[in-house]
Amino acid sequence: MTATDPALTALSQGWCALSLLHGKIEAHIERALQAEHDLSVREYSLLDVLSRQHDGEGGHLQMKQVADAVVLSQSATTRLVTRLEDRGLLLRYLCPTDRRGIYTNVSEAGLELLRAARPTNEKALREALDTAAENPELTPLVRAVEALRVPA
């Protein structure tokens, strides 16, 4: 294959369209969350991921798992956790069975903020997808996103 191979060009164009869609959605949600709740998309994502933890077997996530879930490096995730902890939205405590482990949970204030921000996030996502669907290059990607069903 060469750089001018039509298959590579189509693949590259598809990737650019996907990147464009992601950027438009993230920017729209970011503006809405910042305006309404003083939250970034990453902060919202972190609160959402951590709110789904539970006390049962395998219920608490390791920092690497959290980092993967919010698509950040471990060091950036740690800094984000610290910022949210400083705002009183997260709590850290030692693992009761392994004193080397540290758990991070969403505080009651964090859960309240997440509950308030969730409709804003959903509305902004819907608006961003509707706007993107007006662009013929993005319409197939919007439909693909709408068709996704992630197993619970």
Side-chain angles (χ1 to χ4, degrees):
M1 287 189 178
T2 66
T4 57
D5 185 309
L8 286 178
T9 302
L11 187 62
S12 209
Q13 288 171 340
W15 170 245
C16 286
L18 182 59
S19 182
L20 176 64
L21 177 62
H22 177 269
K24 287 181 176 290
I25 290 170
E26 187 169 63
H28 188 76
I29 294 172
E30 179 82 26
R31 286 190 298 273
L33 287 173
Q34 283 289 348
E36 296 288 325
H37 307 284
D38 193 28
L39 271 179
S40 71
V41 169
R42 295 289 187 227
E43 290 167 337
Y44 175 87
S45 296
L46 181 65
L47 289 172
D48 185 54
V49 166
L50 291 175
S51 75
R52 297 172 195 276
Q53 296 183 120
H54 56 84
D55 286 330
E57 182 71 28
H60 279 87
L61 300 173
Q62 296 173 349
M63 197 54 69
K64 180 180 180 349
Q65 293 170 301
V66 174
D68 289 346
V70 296
V71 194
L72 289 173
S73 68
Q74 281 186 262
S75 61
T77 301
T78 299
R79 287 190 302 274
L80 184 57
V81 164
T82 299
R83 278 198 316 270
L84 291 179
E85 184 181 31
D86 290 346
R87 288 176 59 187
L89 302 174
L90 296 178
L91 304 166
R92 286 192 245 199
Y93 63 95
L94 290 175
C95 169
T97 58
D98 180 357
R99 306 296 286 170
R100 296 169 297 172
I102 298 175
Y103 288 162
T104 304
N105 279 342
V106 182
S107 69
E108 194 55 45
L111 290 172
E112 287 177 30
L113 181 58
L114 182 60
R115 280 192 287 274
R118 192 166 271 130
T120 303
N121 182 73
E122 296 296 323
K123 180 178 182 244
L125 174 58
R126 180 74 268 156
E127 290 169 352
L129 287 170
D130 289 346
T131 300
E134 295 172 7
N135 178 337
E137 290 179 6
L138 299 180
T139 300
L141 292 173
V142 170
R143 299 299 169 242
V145 168
E146 292 171 333
L148 287 175
R149 297 290 180 258
V150 178

